[in-house]
Amino acid sequence: MLLTDDSTVIFRVRGMLDFSCQLDISNEKRGQSAITRCFEGLRSKISSESLVFLVCNSPVLLWPNKGLQSTVEHLTEETPCRDIHQYITVEDGGSKKASKKKERKDASVVNLKLLMEVTEAGDGSAPSLCVLTRRQHCARMPVSVDCVLSANGFDPLQTVCRGLVGALRRQLLDMEDAVLRHRKGSSLLVPQAFHFPLPTPGNLITVVYPAGVAESQLLSEREVLHRKYGLPSDRPYFRRANAFHFPDEPYRDGYLRNPHAHLTPPSMEDSKLYLVRGIYSYHHYMQDRVDDNGWGCAYRSLQTICSWFQQQGYTERTVPTHTHIQQALVDVGDKESSFVGSRQWIGSIEVQAVLSHLLGITSKILFVSQGSELASKGRELANHFETTGTPVMIGGGVLAHTILGVAWSAVSGQIRFLILDPHYTGGEDLQTITDKGWCGWKGPEFWDQNAYYNLCLPQTPKTI
Amino acid sequence: MGRGYIVEESVEKHLANLSTVAGSCLSGLLVGHSSAQRDFVVLAVQTPRRESEGPPEGQRGSNPLDDTDVEWVSMHARQVTRMLPGGVGVLGVFLITPPELAKEAQSTLKRLVLAVDKYMSKTRLWDLSEDDVTDRVTLHICSKTRKAVCKTFDVKDPKCSAKPADWKYQSGISSSWPVVTCSVKLDLDIPVTDMSSENLEKCLKDGLKRWAKQIESGVCLINGRLALDDSELLSGPKKSTRGSQRHTFQIQILVSAEEPEPGQRSSARVQACSGSVCVRGTVHCRAYIHSNKPKARHAAQAIKRDILNTVSSRVEMLLEDLMNEGGPASGQQDLPRRVFAPLPGSGLSVCDYVFPDETPTDVAERLKEILEWDSSVEDIDMRVEGRILLTLGCRKVTQHCSDSL
């Protein structure tokens, strides 16, 4: 989450532009200049008086290149940009009420839509039709522009609009770059913009990548970015999966993200919180129309872990199904082929094997002979979350769970475990999940004091 | 109960004056504005004589109704529609027959109404929406008794039977209809795969359809404000329809390029082309809406349809012209400009399209031929569009002969 002070407003403008250019197939250089000219045309459209920003969910329209003409009288060039909020009607979905409290610290996002005015006042030139005969390749693609600008709430509207126009022009330059760099003859790749959060709070970096190019092919571009922003080369920041997820955009796959963020952490004296880093999806019984009630808990914990690796950019592989998981175990020789389609349980060893085989991830296994010993593993778990930050799968007794963090006091040794329970069979209702403790803080008594436990601690590869 | 048609008094007079040769039939079009509750008819236009016609119908031995030239009526309907601003269209057909043919007239009327609708929907750049009225009116007048029978047919359902309708005369129907106007800048680049005439036409049509979708889904501002679809255009106490001013609303249209389909391509769509067609310039658009609590979406729809109609009409006209001269040539051609003329008695404007070499007299002639109306040359406003004419290489600025600024 972006942590900023209350007075920051993030403006995000998005729109579609039509890229259409004639490529002279016989001449390479002319093809390049045709593309450049086309992008120049798009840039001049952005700078023209016909550019309009529509403030989403409001009656406000702004003409940034016309001295900030607007459809609302009270909004002028000098109006502080935070005043825009008064005109926006917030959509009130039921589930939003629960999260409103926690997201107060996040900067508010004002969404704008980019439009071009096709009407004009006054006389224009008489209409004409021109027929050109020329053998060429016509390349056409929709270009989706997406720019963000972080502003102080008291900044005048004119400054914000000018800033957005500048950002749009720069993005079109970056897009022209990306298209030319990855061009093969008359095959042009669609440029796409991504916003990445940097460790410095409040900062979003926008990068343009060509569509359809695998992450492995873009390594050198990421290396340049890591150097430019002084970022360590041991974990990804600029893979497409690392793109910032705007708070007002729902996830389309339906899974809940980071339900733990809505909990109040336990207050213990002299204790610190050591939590999972980044974003994971909550996987549990009965999802995806698979009835795994009673046997699938470790599978679901494994899915949660896989979702973490995908969303942190370590893998492009989608979260494996029960069948994929079982097949992987057969493929590594750990199970007989009859295993696939069965309802057999798996444990942390199998979880380790699947993570290795499907995702190339190594894991450490931690063994405790008795559940009561888990209370003494505070330092080790705290260290894991601090340095590695991946979710931990724990299996023992007859149950598997996911540990998302610990609250631990180095002084007293007191510990609480943040548990994500895969045994939940209901729907994706955040309220129920947090109220009933399906995601919740548990004390050491949560574990079966006599059973032995294996913990699988996935490691992160040193890669970008 | 059926639909209600409110008809301008001048139409009653006009229909009364239409005389037929004994025993013959006369067809024509009914023009006006359609709204959800009722329709308004402002003009009745007789079908002009077709030059290739044989002996006058009354002298044939066979049934004159069978000779009704459905295709010719449809073509006339298209020409009439080209002369109408947005919001005003062909609402139906009338037929004047001798009393003995009154019964058969109904089936002829149905045939005409369905054929006209089919013909017109072929070249349109837009489709009828769910809230469009699909009932078309048919009026039968007995040449002897002058009794008029009004019915409607639903063109969406060709098998339907006629429904009764109400036909009432009133004066000054359209005098207070609000008018919406705008000027739209065109900047289209349409690739053409091969330069044969039919393919050029097809590519042009595809290109225009793509542009039409952008216009149709564009944001519409009315007098500089973004209005909710169902908000009322005319606020305040309702003034009496007589003698009140006609409200004018300025429209602005804001568009966005179309969203790519899901399952988006990761690379540009590349086509081998042998050329392209550019359409540039500014077109003036105008539409009328009824004055009974019109909503913002009515105005938006009417003006958007006029925008699409005016561009497709002009391109069609230019292509027709070029085909007659052996196909489109390379280089720039002027598209016909739009001119307006007031329709007497209603205060509405009708329009026409002029090529660069045509004069107001040509316009007056066409108005007489297609709309049956004697206009005076002074009434024709040629200055609405584009005083600046661009030609290849050099820039030419022309001002019109009637330079009464």
Side-chain angles (χ1 to χ4, degrees):
Chain A
M1 299 291 180
L2 283 187
L3 292 175
T4 53
D5 56 62
D6 279 318
S7 63
T8 306
V9 185
I10 295 181
F11 287 87
R12 185 181 187 193
V13 63
R14 281 175 286 178
M16 297 295 307
L17 295 171
D18 230 333
F19 173 95
S20 170
C21 100
Q22 328 283 34
L23 294 172
D24 190 340
I25 38 179
S26 57
N27 188 319
E28 176 72 20
K29 264 231 150 96
R30 277 213 222 123
Q32 184 167 320
S33 61
I35 293 169
T36 300
R37 254 181 295 122
C38 191
F39 272 104
E40 268 166 14
L42 291 179
R43 283 194 292 275
S44 59
K45 271 196 164 148
I46 297 294
S47 300
S48 74
E49 292 196 341
S50 309
L51 179 74
V52 183
F53 290 156
L54 164 68
V55 180
C56 297
N57 299 320
S58 87
V60 180
L61 285 113
L62 305 165
W63 279 253
N65 299 320
K66 242 176 159 182
L68 209 64
Q69 182 183 311
S70 93
T71 50
V72 176
E73 284 109 30
H74 302 295
L75 290 174
T76 67
E77 296 184 359
E78 275 83 45
T79 312
C81 62
R82 57 187 276 196
D83 283 4
I84 285 269
H85 283 121
Q86 297 168 18
Y87 299 93
I88 302 177
T89 44
V90 178
E91 276 160 38
D92 218 331
S95 59
K96 288 206 171 174
K97 289 197 179 122
S99 52
K100 259 202 162 67
K101 270 198 295 175
K102 297 295 166 181
E103 280 161 338
R104 223 185 317 140
K105 283 221 191 89
D106 294 330
S108 55
V109 180
V110 175
N111 286 298
L112 306 167
K113 186 160 185 211
L114 188 155
L115 298 170
M116 301 297 304
E117 181 172 356
V118 292
T119 43
E120 57 179 17
D123 297 327
S125 49
S128 68
L129 187 146
C130 194
V131 178
L132 285 167
T133 316
R134 189 170 51 191
R135 288 209 165 281
Q136 59 213 344
H137 280 178
C138 175
R140 163 177 245 120
M141 60 182 171
V143 166
S144 181
V145 287
D146 184 348
C147 289
V148 291
L149 184 90
S150 196
N152 183 296
F154 296 100
D155 286 344
L157 213 47
Q158 176 71 305
T159 312
V160 170
C161 287
R162 285 228 190 95
L164 286 170
V165 172
L168 285 165
R169 286 186 62 102
R170 278 192 303 278
Q171 183 160 107
L172 285 170
L173 276 171
D174 290 340
M175 288 185 161
E176 179 187 328
D177 235 19
V179 170
L180 288 174
R181 217 177 325 132
H182 295 269
R183 168 187 170 215
K184 287 190 175 60
S186 55
S187 167
L188 305 176
L189 295 177
V190 178
Q192 295 172 324
F194 296 89
H195 306 295
F196 297 103
L198 288 197
T200 337
N203 249 356
L204 280 177
I205 302 296
T206 308
V207 180
V208 172
Y209 286 132
V213 175
E215 300 287 11
S216 50
Q217 306 288 320
L218 296 168
L219 179 63
S220 53
E221 305 194 19
R222 290 197 298 274
E223 281 169 346
V224 169
L225 287 163
H226 275 248
R227 272 200 298 277
K228 180 172 178 185
Y229 295 102
L231 295 168
S233 311
D234 63 350
R235 42 174 276 213
Y237 283 95
F238 293 109
R239 293 201 176 209
R240 294 180 182 98
N242 297 116
F244 179 64
H245 179 81
F246 286 84
D248 56 337
E249 277 180 328
Y251 284 99
R252 285 201 210 124
D253 57 17
Y255 299 108
L256 287 179
R257 296 321 198 258
N258 291 24
H260 75 271
H262 303 271
L263 299 171
T264 320
S267 48
M268 287 183 331
E269 259 189 58
D270 295 321
S271 69
K272 264 181 76 184
L273 287 180
Y274 304 86
L275 299 180
V276 64
R277 134 168 103 86
I279 303 177
Y280 60 88
S281 312
Y282 181 19
H283 288 265
H284 59 79
Y285 277 170
M286 308 304 282
Q287 278 177 342
D288 323 311
R289 277 175 267 149
V290 174
D291 181 353
D292 58 334
N293 192 346
W295 60 272
C297 46
Y299 292 80
R300 297 296 183 181
S301 177
L302 173 53
Q303 284 178 334
T304 296
I305 293 172
C306 292
S307 81
W308 186 93
F309 278 97
Q310 183 195 16
Q311 289 175 89
Q312 265 51 248
Y314 288 102
T315 178
E316 283 165 89
R317 208 194 183 297
T318 52
V319 172
T321 60
H322 290 58
T323 312
H324 288 145
I325 292 169
Q326 290 174 336
Q327 187 60 52
L329 288 167
V330 171
D331 291 344
V332 297
D334 190 72
K335 299 274 184 262
E336 298 289 314
S337 55
S338 56
F339 181 62
V340 181
S342 71
R343 290 144 141 228
Q344 287 182 51
W345 297 352
I346 54 175
S348 13
I349 305 300
E350 285 84 1
V351 168
Q352 178 190 43
V354 174
L355 284 174
S356 167
H357 182 67
L358 288 183
L359 270 58
I361 299 293
T362 53
S363 318
K364 289 204 185 121
I365 297 288
L366 193 60
F367 170 78
V368 294
S369 52
Q370 279 176 281
S372 48
E373 273 176 54
L374 279 167
S376 62
K377 295 295 176 192
R379 188 178 298 277
E380 238 174 306
L381 287 170
N383 196 47
H384 167 81
F385 286 110
E386 205 163 36
T387 54
T388 310
T390 57
V392 172
M393 177 265 175
I394 177 167
V398 288
L399 302 172
H401 289 93
T402 311
I403 303 178
L404 296 173
V406 290
W408 177 66
S409 167
V411 171
S412 64
Q414 277 201 297
I415 187 169
R416 296 279 181 284
F417 300 88
L418 179 56
I419 304 293
L420 188 67
D421 197 335
H423 301 92
Y424 172 62
T425 53
E428 311 315 314
D429 177 11
L430 184 62
Q431 198 71 49
T432 307
I433 288 163
T434 49
D435 283 354
K436 302 281 193 236
W438 293 103
C439 176
W441 287 96
K442 315 286 181 190
E445 65 284 353
F446 178 73
W447 310 109
D448 181 341
Q449 303 296 295
N450 300 310
Y452 67 83
Y453 283 91
N454 269 321
L455 292 85
C456 174
L457 286 75
Q459 303 300 298
T460 50
K462 303 285 172 274
T463 178
I464 65 167
Chain B
M1 226 206 71
R3 288 195 70 77
Y5 288 83
I6 312 270
V7 188
E8 185 66 59
E9 267 173 15
S10 55
V11 171
E12 183 180 23
K13 280 197 211 99
H14 186 77
L15 288 171
N17 287 341
L18 288 175
S19 58
T20 59
V21 174
S24 70
C25 304
L26 199 152
S27 64
L29 302 170
L30 296 164
V31 173
H33 173 80
S34 202
S35 77
Q37 279 85 26
R38 65 184 67 83
D39 293 7
F40 304 89
V41 178
V42 296
L43 190 63
V45 188
Q46 183 184 352
T47 307
R49 257 182 96 82
R50 195 168 195 173
E51 275 150 26
S52 56
E53 258 174 67
E57 288 149 82
Q59 292 175 9
R60 293 206 199 183
S62 58
N63 186 339
L65 271 181
D66 292 338
D67 296 333
T68 311
D69 195 341
V70 173
E71 195 197 7
W72 183 241
V73 174
S74 306
M75 285 166 68
H76 181 225
R78 167 126 76 102
Q79 288 185 305
V80 166
T81 309
R82 271 188 190 165
M83 295 187 131
L84 299 173
V88 185
V90 171
L91 295 183
V93 172
F94 70 81
L95 205 57
I96 304 180
T97 72
E100 58 272 18
L101 293 174
K103 217 167 176 200
E104 262 193 72
Q106 286 305 315
S107 67
T108 310
L109 281 166
K110 181 176 181 180
R111 257 195 307 141
L112 282 172
V113 135
L114 291 175
V116 163
D117 185 74
K118 192 169 176 200
Y119 192 79
M120 303 228 284
S121 50
K122 267 195 290 185
T123 51
R124 264 201 312 245
L125 285 179
W126 45 272
D127 295 316
L128 290 177
S129 71
E130 267 167 27
D131 23 291
D132 273 307
V133 173
T134 50
D135 290 293
R136 300 283 178 263
V137 65
T138 61
L139 189 73
H140 173 257
I141 300 176
C142 172
S143 55
K144 208 165 188 180
T145 63
R146 305 311 294 193
K147 177 166 172 269
V149 171
C150 174
K151 292 195 205 268
T152 59
F153 290 95
D154 187 347
V155 289
K156 244 191 350 220
D157 180 15
K159 295 206 186 78
C160 70
S161 52
K163 284 182 274 198
D166 234 14
W167 187 264
K168 231 190 302 186
Y169 291 107
Q170 206 179 296
S171 72
I173 298 170
S174 55
S175 52
S176 59
W177 281 0
V179 61
V180 287
T181 67
C182 67
S183 294
V184 175
K185 220 165 112 180
L186 302 169
D187 191 7
L188 308 178
D189 268 294
I190 301 168
V192 177
T193 43
D194 83 75
M195 298 301 274
S196 70
S197 313
E198 325 113 43
N199 193 57
L200 181 82
E201 219 179 305
K202 179 179 181 303
C203 289
L204 248 184
K205 183 112 193 251
D206 288 341
L208 286 175
K209 274 208 150 131
R210 235 180 297 130
W211 165 79
K213 264 206 240 141
Q214 281 189 9
I215 297 284
E216 276 187 303
S217 46
V219 171
C220 189
L221 299 182
I222 303 180
N223 279 355
R225 298 249 178 287
L226 184 66
L228 290 172
D229 276 349
D230 282 322
S231 63
E232 307 256 334
L233 265 188
L234 304 170
S235 51
K238 189 176 176 183
K239 308 192 186 94
S240 72
T241 48
R242 252 167 248 256
S244 60
Q245 253 209 327
R246 190 190 294 284
H247 293 268
T248 309
F249 295 92
Q250 273 299 324
I251 300 287
Q252 285 164 282
I253 305 275
L254 315 173
V255 302
S256 170
E258 52 190 298
E259 296 281 337
E261 330 86 55
Q264 192 198 344
R265 298 169 59 93
S266 56
S267 60
R269 201 179 285 272
V270 182
Q271 251 183 325
C273 299
S274 45
S276 63
V277 177
C278 315
V279 183
R280 305 239 193 285
T282 305
V283 293
H284 181 86
C285 308
R286 195 179 290 191
Y288 294 94
I289 41 184
H290 59 90
S291 46
N292 179 27
K293 294 212 175 123
K295 300 214 160 77
R297 62 183 163 86
H298 297 138
Q301 186 183 72
I303 194 72
K304 282 178 180 175
R305 286 177 176 178
D306 188 65
I307 296 172
L308 302 185
N309 286 343
T310 190
V311 172
S312 72
S313 293
R314 297 175 209 225
V315 171
E316 255 167 45
M317 290 173 73
L318 180 64
L319 285 181
E320 277 165 18
D321 223 42
L322 293 176
M323 293 312 174
N324 291 339
E325 294 171 22
S330 279
Q332 185 168 309
Q333 334 267 352
D334 291 313
L335 283 166
R337 275 182 306 121
R338 199 175 196 183
V339 301
F340 288 88
L343 197 63
S346 68
L348 302 176
S349 299
V350 291
C351 65
D352 190 23
Y353 295 98
V354 288
F355 282 96
D357 50 345
E358 291 183 311
T359 66
T361 316
D362 294 311
V363 176
E365 267 172 31
R366 274 199 290 269
L367 287 173
K368 171 106 182 113
E369 186 194 328
I370 298 175
L371 293 181
E372 275 195 283
W373 165 44
D374 278 315
S375 56
S376 67
V377 171
E378 292 87 58
D379 289 331
I380 299 171
D381 190 355
M382 305 273 286
R383 293 167 307 158
V384 178
E385 275 187 0
R387 283 181 244 198
I388 305 168
L389 286 171
L390 290 171
T391 50
L392 288 166
C394 63
R395 203 143 176 240
K396 200 160 78 176
V397 176
T398 55
Q399 298 209 284
H400 292 286
C401 37
S402 50
D403 219 349
S404 49
L405 286 167

